[in-house]
Coordinates of all heavy atoms in Angstrom, one line a residue:
M142 N -2.0 -11.5 14.4 CA -1.4 -10.2 14.0 C -1.6 -10.1 12.5 O -1.3 -10.9 11.7 CB 0.0 -10.2 14.4 CG 0.7 -8.9 14.1 SD 2.3 -9.0 14.8 CE 3.2 -8.0 13.6
A143 N -2.1 -8.9 12.1 CA -2.4 -8.7 10.7 C -1.1 -8.3 10.0 O -0.4 -7.3 10.4 CB -3.5 -7.7 10.5
K144 N -0.8 -9.0 8.9 CA 0.4 -8.6 8.1 C -0.1 -7.6 7.0 O -1.3 -7.4 6.8 CB 1.0 -9.8 7.4 CG 1.7 -10.7 8.4 CD 3.1 -10.1 8.5 CE 4.0 -11.2 9.1 NZ 5.4 -10.7 9.1
G145 N 0.9 -7.1 6.3 CA 0.5 -6.2 5.2 C 0.1 -7.0 3.9 O -0.1 -8.2 4.0
L146 N 0.1 -6.2 2.9 CA -0.3 -6.9 1.6 C 0.9 -7.7 1.1 O 2.1 -7.4 1.3 CB -0.5 -5.8 0.5 CG -1.7 -4.9 0.8 CD1 -1.7 -3.7 -0.2 CD2 -3.0 -5.7 0.6
S147 N 0.6 -8.8 0.4 CA 1.6 -9.6 -0.1 C 1.8 -9.3 -1.6 O 0.9 -8.7 -2.2 CB 1.3 -11.1 0.0 OG 0.2 -11.4 -0.8
T148 N 2.9 -9.6 -2.1 CA 3.2 -9.3 -3.6 C 2.3 -10.1 -4.5 O 1.9 -9.6 -5.6 CB 4.7 -9.6 -3.9 OG1 5.0 -10.9 -3.6 CG2 5.6 -8.6 -3.3
E149 N 1.8 -11.3 -4.0 CA 0.9 -12.1 -4.8 C -0.5 -11.3 -4.9 O -1.1 -11.3 -6.0 CB 0.7 -13.4 -4.2 CG 1.9 -14.4 -4.3 CD 2.9 -14.1 -3.2 OE1 2.5 -13.5 -2.1 OE2 4.0 -14.5 -3.4
D150 N -0.9 -10.7 -3.8 CA -2.1 -9.9 -3.8 C -2.0 -8.7 -4.8 O -2.9 -8.4 -5.5 CB -2.4 -9.4 -2.4 CG -2.8 -10.5 -1.4 OD1 -3.2 -11.6 -1.9 OD2 -2.6 -10.2 -0.2
L151 N -0.8 -8.1 -4.8 CA -0.6 -6.9 -5.6 C -0.5 -7.3 -7.1 O -0.9 -6.6 -8.0 CB 0.6 -6.2 -5.2 CG 0.6 -5.6 -3.8 CD1 1.9 -5.0 -3.4 CD2 -0.5 -4.6 -3.6
D152 N 0.1 -8.5 -7.4 CA 0.2 -8.9 -8.7 C -1.2 -9.2 -9.3 O -1.4 -9.0 -10.6 CB 1.0 -10.2 -8.8 CG 2.5 -10.0 -8.7 OD1 2.9 -8.8 -9.0 OD2 3.2 -10.9 -8.4
A153 N -2.1 -9.6 -8.5 CA -3.5 -9.9 -9.0 C -4.3 -8.6 -9.3 O -5.3 -8.7 -9.9 CB -4.2 -10.8 -8.0
M154 N -3.8 -7.5 -8.8 CA -4.6 -6.2 -9.0 C -4.2 -5.5 -10.3 O -3.1 -5.6 -10.7 CB -4.3 -5.3 -7.8 CG -4.8 -5.7 -6.5 SD -4.4 -4.4 -5.3 CE -5.1 -5.2 -3.8
T155 N -5.2 -4.8 -10.9 CA -4.9 -4.0 -12.1 C -4.3 -2.7 -11.6 O -4.3 -2.4 -10.4 CB -6.2 -3.8 -12.8 OG1 -7.1 -3.0 -12.0 CG2 -6.9 -5.1 -13.3
D156 N -3.9 -1.9 -12.6 CA -3.3 -0.6 -12.2 C -4.3 0.3 -11.6 O -3.9 1.0 -10.6 CB -2.7 0.0 -13.5 CG -1.5 -0.7 -14.0 OD1 -0.8 -1.4 -13.3 OD2 -1.2 -0.6 -15.3
A157 N -5.5 0.3 -12.0 CA -6.6 1.1 -11.4 C -6.8 0.7 -9.9 O -7.0 1.5 -9.1 CB -7.8 1.0 -12.2
E158 N -6.8 -0.6 -9.7 CA -7.0 -1.1 -8.3 C -5.9 -0.7 -7.4 O -6.1 -0.4 -6.3 CB -7.2 -2.6 -8.3 CG -8.5 -3.1 -9.0 CD -8.6 -4.6 -9.1 OE1 -7.5 -5.3 -9.2 OE2 -9.7 -5.1 -9.1
L159 N -4.6 -0.8 -8.0 CA -3.5 -0.4 -7.2 C -3.6 1.1 -6.8 O -3.3 1.5 -5.7 CB -2.2 -0.6 -8.0 CG -1.8 -2.1 -8.1 CD1 -0.5 -2.2 -9.0 CD2 -1.5 -2.7 -6.8
Q160 N -4.0 1.9 -7.8 CA -4.1 3.4 -7.5 C -5.2 3.6 -6.4 O -4.9 4.5 -5.6 CB -4.5 4.1 -8.8 CG -4.4 5.6 -8.7 CD -3.0 6.1 -8.4 OE1 -2.0 5.5 -8.9 NE2 -2.9 7.1 -7.6
A161 N -6.3 2.9 -6.5 CA -7.3 3.1 -5.5 C -6.8 2.6 -4.1 O -7.1 3.2 -3.1 CB -8.6 2.3 -5.9
K162 N -6.0 1.5 -4.1 CA -5.5 1.0 -2.8 C -4.5 2.0 -2.2 O -4.5 2.2 -1.0 CB -4.8 -0.3 -3.1 CG -4.5 -1.0 -1.8 CD -5.7 -1.5 -1.1 CE -5.3 -2.4 0.1 NZ -6.4 -2.7 0.9
V163 N -3.7 2.7 -3.1 CA -2.7 3.7 -2.6 C -3.5 4.8 -1.9 O -3.2 5.3 -0.9 CB -1.8 4.2 -3.7 CG1 -1.1 5.4 -3.3 CG2 -0.8 3.1 -4.1
K164 N -4.6 5.3 -2.6 CA -5.3 6.4 -2.1 C -6.0 6.0 -0.7 O -5.9 6.8 0.2 CB -6.5 6.7 -3.0 CG -7.3 7.9 -2.6 CD -8.3 8.3 -3.6 CE -9.1 9.5 -3.1 NZ -10.2 9.8 -4.0
E165 N -6.5 4.8 -0.6 CA -7.1 4.3 0.6 C -6.0 4.2 1.7 O -6.3 4.6 2.9 CB -7.7 2.9 0.4 CG -8.2 2.2 1.6 CD -8.6 0.8 1.3 OE1 -9.1 0.5 0.2 OE2 -8.4 -0.1 2.2
L166 N -4.9 3.7 1.4 CA -3.8 3.6 2.4 C -3.3 4.9 2.9 O -2.9 5.1 4.0 CB -2.7 2.7 1.9 CG -3.0 1.2 1.8 CD1 -1.9 0.4 1.1 CD2 -3.3 0.6 3.2
K167 N -3.2 5.9 1.9 CA -2.7 7.2 2.3 C -3.7 7.9 3.2 O -3.3 8.6 4.2 CB -2.5 8.1 1.1 CG -1.2 7.7 0.4 CD -0.8 8.7 -0.7 CE 0.5 8.4 -1.3 NZ 1.0 9.5 -2.2
E168 N -5.0 7.7 3.0 CA -6.0 8.2 3.9 C -5.9 7.6 5.3 O -6.0 8.3 6.3 CB -7.4 8.0 3.4 CG -7.7 8.9 2.2 CD -9.0 8.5 1.5 OE1 -9.8 7.7 2.1 OE2 -9.4 9.2 0.5
E169 N -5.7 6.3 5.3 CA -5.5 5.6 6.6 C -4.2 6.1 7.3 O -4.2 6.3 8.5 CB -5.4 4.1 6.4 CG -5.2 3.3 7.7 CD -5.2 1.8 7.5 OE1 -5.3 1.3 6.4 OE2 -5.0 1.1 8.5
L170 N -3.1 6.3 6.6 CA -1.9 6.8 7.1 C -2.1 8.1 7.8 O -1.6 8.4 8.8 CB -0.8 6.8 6.1 CG 0.6 7.2 6.6 CD1 1.1 6.2 7.6 CD2 1.5 7.3 5.4
F171 N -2.8 9.0 7.1 CA -3.1 10.3 7.6 C -3.9 10.2 8.9 O -3.5 10.9 9.9 CB -3.9 11.1 6.6 CG -4.4 12.5 7.1 CD1 -3.5 13.5 7.2 CD2 -5.7 12.6 7.7 CE1 -3.9 14.8 7.7 CE2 -6.1 13.8 8.2 CZ -5.2 14.9 8.2
N172 N -4.9 9.4 9.0 CA -5.7 9.2 10.2 C -4.8 8.6 11.3 O -5.0 9.0 12.5 CB -6.9 8.3 9.9 CG -7.9 9.0 9.0 OD1 -8.0 10.2 9.0 ND2 -8.6 8.2 8.3
L173 N -3.9 7.7 11.0 CA -3.1 7.1 12.0 C -2.1 8.1 12.6 O -1.8 8.2 13.8 CB -2.3 5.9 11.4 CG -3.1 4.6 11.2 CD1 -2.3 3.6 10.4 CD2 -3.6 4.0 12.5
R174 N -1.6 9.0 11.7 CA -0.6 10.0 12.1 C -1.4 11.0 13.0 O -0.8 11.5 14.0 CB 0.0 10.7 10.9 CG 1.1 10.0 10.3 CD 1.6 10.7 9.1 NE 2.7 10.0 8.5 CZ 3.1 10.2 7.2 NH1 2.5 11.1 6.5 NH2 4.1 9.5 6.7
F175 N -2.6 11.3 12.6 CA -3.4 12.3 13.4 C -3.7 11.7 14.8 O -3.6 12.3 15.8 CB -4.7 12.6 12.7 CG -5.5 13.6 13.4 CD1 -5.2 15.0 13.2 CD2 -6.6 13.3 14.2 CE1 -5.9 16.0 13.8 CE2 -7.3 14.3 14.8 CZ -7.0 15.7 14.6
A176 N -4.0 10.4 14.8 CA -4.3 9.7 16.1 C -3.0 9.6 17.0 O -3.1 9.7 18.2 CB -4.8 8.3 15.9
S177 N -1.9 9.5 16.3 CA -0.6 9.4 17.0 C -0.3 10.8 17.7 O 0.1 10.8 18.9 CB 0.5 9.1 16.1 OG 1.8 9.1 16.7
V178 N -0.5 11.8 17.0 CA -0.3 13.2 17.6 C -1.2 13.5 18.7 O -0.8 14.1 19.7 CB -0.4 14.2 16.5 CG1 -0.3 15.6 17.0 CG2 0.7 14.1 15.5
T179 N -2.4 13.0 18.6 CA -3.4 13.3 19.7 C -3.4 12.2 20.8 O -4.3 12.2 21.6 CB -4.8 13.4 19.1 OG1 -5.2 12.2 18.4 CG2 -4.9 14.6 18.2
H180 N -2.4 11.3 20.7 CA -2.2 10.3 21.7 C -3.4 9.3 21.8 O -3.7 8.9 22.9 CB -1.9 10.9 23.1 CG -0.7 11.8 23.1 ND1 0.6 11.3 22.9 CD2 -0.6 13.2 23.1 CE1 1.4 12.3 22.9 NE2 0.7 13.5 23.0
R181 N -4.1 9.1 20.7 CA -5.2 8.1 20.7 C -4.8 6.9 19.9 O -5.7 6.0 19.7 CB -6.4 8.8 20.1 CG -7.0 9.9 21.0 CD -8.3 10.4 20.4 NE -8.0 11.0 19.1 CZ -8.7 10.8 18.0 NH1 -9.7 9.9 18.0 NH2 -8.4 11.4 16.9
L182 N -3.6 6.7 19.5 CA -3.2 5.6 18.6 C -3.0 4.4 19.5 O -2.3 4.4 20.5 CB -1.9 5.9 17.9 CG -1.4 4.9 16.9 CD1 -2.4 4.7 15.8 CD2 0.0 5.3 16.4
E183 N -3.7 3.3 19.1 CA -3.7 2.1 19.9 C -2.6 1.1 19.4 O -2.0 0.4 20.2 CB -5.0 1.4 20.0 CG -6.1 2.3 20.7 CD -7.4 1.6 20.9 OE1 -7.4 0.3 20.8 OE2 -8.3 2.3 21.2
D184 N -2.4 1.1 18.1 CA -1.5 0.1 17.5 C -0.4 0.9 16.7 O -0.6 1.2 15.5 CB -2.2 -0.9 16.6 CG -1.3 -1.9 16.0 OD1 -0.2 -2.1 16.5 OD2 -1.7 -2.6 15.1
A185 N 0.7 1.2 17.4 CA 1.7 2.0 16.7 C 2.4 1.2 15.6 O 2.9 1.8 14.6 CB 2.8 2.4 17.7
G186 N 2.4 -0.1 15.6 CA 3.0 -0.9 14.5 C 2.2 -0.7 13.2 O 2.7 -1.0 12.1
R187 N 1.0 -0.3 13.3 CA 0.1 -0.2 12.1 C 0.7 0.9 11.2 O 0.6 0.8 10.0 CB -1.3 0.1 12.5 CG -2.3 0.2 11.3 CD -2.5 -1.2 10.7 NE -3.4 -1.0 9.5 CZ -3.3 -1.6 8.4 NH1 -2.4 -2.6 8.3 NH2 -4.1 -1.4 7.4
L188 N 1.3 1.9 11.8 CA 1.9 3.0 11.0 C 3.0 2.4 10.0 O 3.0 2.8 8.9 CB 2.5 4.1 11.9 CG 1.7 5.2 12.4 CD1 2.4 5.9 13.6 CD2 1.3 6.1 11.4
R189 N 3.8 1.6 10.6 CA 4.9 1.0 9.8 C 4.3 0.1 8.7 O 4.8 0.1 7.6 CB 5.8 0.3 10.7 CG 7.0 -0.4 10.0 CD 7.9 -1.0 11.0 NE 9.1 -1.5 10.3 CZ 9.8 -2.5 10.7 NH1 9.6 -3.1 11.8 NH2 10.9 -2.8 10.0
T190 N 3.3 -0.7 9.1 CA 2.7 -1.6 8.1 C 2.1 -0.9 6.9 O 2.3 -1.3 5.8 CB 1.7 -2.5 8.8 OG1 2.3 -3.1 9.9 CG2 1.1 -3.5 7.8
V191 N 1.4 0.2 7.2 CA 0.8 1.0 6.1 C 1.8 1.6 5.2 O 1.7 1.6 4.0 CB -0.2 2.0 6.7 CG1 -0.7 3.0 5.7 CG2 -1.4 1.3 7.4
R192 N 2.9 2.2 5.8 CA 3.9 2.8 5.0 C 4.6 1.8 4.1 O 4.9 2.0 2.9 CB 5.0 3.4 5.9 CG 4.6 4.8 6.5 CD 5.8 5.6 7.0 NE 6.7 4.7 7.8 CZ 6.7 4.7 9.1 NH1 5.9 5.3 9.8 NH2 7.6 3.9 9.7
K193 N 4.8 0.6 4.6 CA 5.5 -0.5 3.8 C 4.5 -1.0 2.7 O 5.0 -1.3 1.6 CB 5.9 -1.6 4.7 CG 7.1 -1.3 5.5 CD 7.6 -2.5 6.3 CE 8.9 -2.1 7.1 NZ 10.1 -2.5 6.4
D194 N 3.2 -1.0 3.0 CA 2.3 -1.4 2.0 C 2.3 -0.4 0.8 O 2.2 -0.8 -0.4 CB 0.9 -1.5 2.5 CG 0.7 -2.8 3.4 OD1 1.5 -3.7 3.3 OD2 -0.3 -2.9 4.1
I195 N 2.3 0.9 1.2 CA 2.4 1.9 0.1 C 3.6 1.8 -0.7 O 3.6 1.8 -1.9 CB 2.3 3.3 0.8 CG1 0.9 3.5 1.4 CG2 2.6 4.4 -0.3 CD1 0.7 4.8 2.2
A196 N 4.7 1.5 -0.1 CA 6.0 1.3 -0.8 C 6.0 0.1 -1.7 O 6.5 0.1 -2.8 CB 7.2 1.2 0.2
R197 N 5.3 -1.0 -1.2 CA 5.2 -2.2 -2.0 C 4.4 -1.9 -3.3 O 4.8 -2.4 -4.4 CB 4.5 -3.3 -1.2 CG 5.5 -4.1 -0.4 CD 4.7 -5.3 0.1 NE 5.5 -5.8 1.3 CZ 5.2 -5.5 2.5 NH1 4.1 -4.8 2.8 NH2 5.9 -5.9 3.5
I198 N 3.3 -1.1 -3.1 CA 2.5 -0.8 -4.3 C 3.3 0.0 -5.3 O 3.2 -0.2 -6.5 CB 1.2 -0.1 -3.9 CG1 0.3 -1.1 -3.1 CG2 0.4 0.4 -5.1 CD1 -0.9 -0.5 -2.5
Y199 N 4.0 1.0 -4.8 CA 4.8 1.9 -5.7 C 5.9 1.0 -6.4 O 6.2 1.3 -7.6 CB 5.4 3.0 -5.0 CG 4.5 4.2 -4.7 CD1 4.6 4.9 -3.5 CD2 3.6 4.6 -5.6 CE1 3.7 5.9 -3.2 CE2 2.7 5.6 -5.4 CZ 2.8 6.3 -4.2 OH 1.9 7.3 -3.9
T200 N 6.4 0.0 -5.7 CA 7.4 -0.8 -6.3 C 6.8 -1.6 -7.5 O 7.4 -1.8 -8.5 CB 8.1 -1.7 -5.3 OG1 8.7 -0.9 -4.3 CG2 9.1 -2.6 -5.9
V201 N 5.7 -2.2 -7.2 CA 5.0 -3.0 -8.2 C 4.6 -2.2 -9.4 O 4.8 -2.6 -10.6 CB 3.8 -3.7 -7.7 CG1 2.9 -4.3 -8.8 CG2 4.2 -4.8 -6.7
K202 N 4.2 -1.0 -9.2 CA 3.8 -0.1 -10.3 C 5.0 0.3 -11.1 O 5.0 0.3 -12.4 CB 3.1 1.2 -9.8 CG 1.7 1.0 -9.3 CD 1.1 2.2 -8.6 CE 0.9 3.3 -9.7 NZ 0.2 4.4 -9.2
R203 N 6.1 0.5 -10.5 CA 7.4 0.9 -11.2 C 7.9 -0.3 -12.0 O 8.4 -0.2 -13.1 CB 8.4 1.4 -10.2 CG 9.7 1.8 -10.9 CD 9.5 3.0 -11.8 NE 10.8 3.3 -12.3 CZ 11.0 3.9 -13.5 NH1 9.9 4.3 -14.2 NH2 12.2 4.2 -14.0
E204 N 7.8 -1.5 -11.4 CA 8.3 -2.7 -12.1 C 7.4 -2.9 -13.3 O 7.9 -3.4 -14.3 CB 8.2 -3.9 -11.2 CG 9.3 -3.9 -10.1 CD 9.2 -5.0 -9.1 OE1 8.2 -5.7 -9.1 OE2 10.2 -5.2 -8.4
R205 N 6.2 -2.6 -13.2 CA 5.3 -2.8 -14.4 C 5.7 -1.8 -15.5 O 5.6 -2.1 -16.7 CB 3.8 -2.6 -14.0 CG 3.3 -3.8 -13.3 CD 1.8 -3.6 -13.0 NE 1.3 -4.7 -12.2 CZ 0.1 -4.8 -11.7 NH1 -0.8 -3.8 -11.9 NH2 -0.3 -5.9 -11.0
E206 N 6.0 -0.6 -15.1 CA 6.5 0.4 -16.1 C 7.7 0.0 -16.8 O 7.9 0.2 -18.0 CB 6.8 1.8 -15.4 CG 5.5 2.5 -14.9 CD 5.9 3.8 -14.2 OE1 7.1 4.2 -14.2 OE2 5.0 4.4 -13.6
L207 N 8.6 -0.7 -16.1 CA 9.9 -1.2 -16.7 C 9.8 -2.5 -17.3 O 10.8 -3.1 -17.7 CB 11.0 -1.2 -15.6 CG 11.3 0.2 -14.9 CD1 12.3 0.0 -13.8 CD2 11.9 1.1 -16.0
N208 N 8.6 -3.1 -17.3 CA 8.3 -4.4 -17.9 C 9.0 -5.5 -17.2 O 9.4 -6.5 -17.8 CB 8.6 -4.4 -19.4 CG 7.6 -3.6 -20.2 OD1 6.4 -3.5 -19.8 ND2 8.1 -2.9 -21.2
I209 N 9.3 -5.3 -15.9 CA 9.9 -6.4 -15.1 C 8.8 -7.3 -14.6 O 8.9 -8.5 -14.5 CB 10.6 -5.8 -13.9 CG1 11.8 -5.0 -14.4 CG2 11.1 -6.9 -12.9 CD1 12.5 -4.2 -13.3
R210 N 7.6 -6.7 -14.3 CA 6.4 -7.4 -13.9 C 5.3 -7.1 -14.8 O 5.2 -6.0 -15.3 CB 6.2 -7.0 -12.4 CG 5.1 -7.8 -11.7 CD 4.9 -7.2 -10.3 NE 6.1 -7.2 -9.5 CZ 6.4 -8.0 -8.5 NH1 5.5 -8.9 -8.2 NH2 7.5 -7.9 -7.8
T211 N 4.4 -8.0 -15.0 CA 3.3 -7.7 -15.9 C 2.0 -7.6 -15.2 O 1.8 -8.2 -14.1 CB 3.1 -8.9 -17.0 OG1 2.9 -10.1 -16.3 CG2 4.3 -9.0 -17.9
A212 N 1.1 -6.8 -15.7 CA -0.2 -6.6 -15.1 C -1.1 -7.8 -15.4 O -0.9 -8.5 -16.4 CB -0.9 -5.3 -15.7
P213 N -2.2 -8.1 -14.7 CA -3.0 -9.3 -14.9 C -3.7 -9.3 -16.2 O -3.8 -10.3 -16.9 CB -4.0 -9.2 -13.8 CG -3.8 -8.0 -13.0 CD -2.6 -7.4 -13.5
S214 N -4.0 -8.1 -16.8 CA -4.7 -8.1 -18.1 C -3.7 -8.5 -19.2 O -4.1 -9.0 -20.2 CB -5.3 -6.7 -18.3 OG -4.3 -5.7 -18.3
A215 N -2.4 -8.2 -19.0 CA -1.4 -8.5 -20.0 C -1.1 -10.0 -20.1 O -0.6 -10.5 -21.1 CB -0.2 -7.7 -19.7
K216 N -1.4 -10.7 -19.0 CA -1.1 -12.1 -19.0 C -2.0 -13.0 -19.9 O -1.7 -14.0 -20.4 CB -1.1 -12.7 -17.6 CG 0.0 -12.2 -16.7 CD -0.2 -12.7 -15.3 CE 0.9 -12.2 -14.4 NZ 0.7 -12.6 -13.0
E217 N -3.2 -12.5 -20.0 CA -4.3 -13.3 -20.7 C -4.2 -13.1 -22.2 O -3.7 -12.4 -22.9 CB -5.6 -12.8 -20.2 CG -5.8 -13.2 -18.8 CD -7.2 -12.7 -18.3 OE1 -8.0 -12.3 -19.1 OE2 -7.3 -12.6 -17.1

């Protein structure tokens, strides 16, 4: 069973990579919702996983804004 993104994975990403990942996940979420409405969705749990991944990314981005968490380029 595929889990979502881990915080370690997100910590290793730059802000630009996080933004690209959010865009990718939002497109996937749109497609999953569309499949759900047309009754072609095979894995209903994937909807929840994608939503939680998007929330994790937004949390990491906000923590970086508040200097709670640092970006990988700032560590070096």
Side-chain angles (χ1 to χ4, degrees):
M142 183 170 146
K144 286 279 199 173
L146 295 170
S147 68
T148 53
E149 291 82 22
D150 295 337
L151 297 176
D152 282 340
M154 293 183 181
T155 63
D156 291 336
E158 290 172 334
L159 288 175
Q160 190 63 35
K162 191 68 173 174
V163 166
K164 183 178 180 184
E165 174 188 325
L166 288 172
K167 282 189 174 188
E168 288 173 3
E169 182 179 357
L170 184 61
F171 174 81
N172 291 332
L173 288 170
R174 284 181 177 158
F175 188 79
S177 176
V178 170
T179 59
H180 304 289
R181 293 185 296 129
L182 185 62
E183 296 189 15
D184 184 15
R187 183 71 183 143
L188 275 167
R189 182 177 186 203
T190 304
V191 171
R192 280 197 318 263
K193 287 185 176 264
D194 286 344
I195 292 171
R197 273 189 202 97
I198 291 172
Y199 281 142
T200 301
V201 168
K202 288 175 68 174
R203 182 65 179 151
E204 287 175 348
R205 286 182 183 177
E206 287 176 12
L207 297 173
N208 293 321
I209 297 171
R210 191 181 299 256
T211 56
S214 60
K216 291 179 183 176
E217 295 175 18

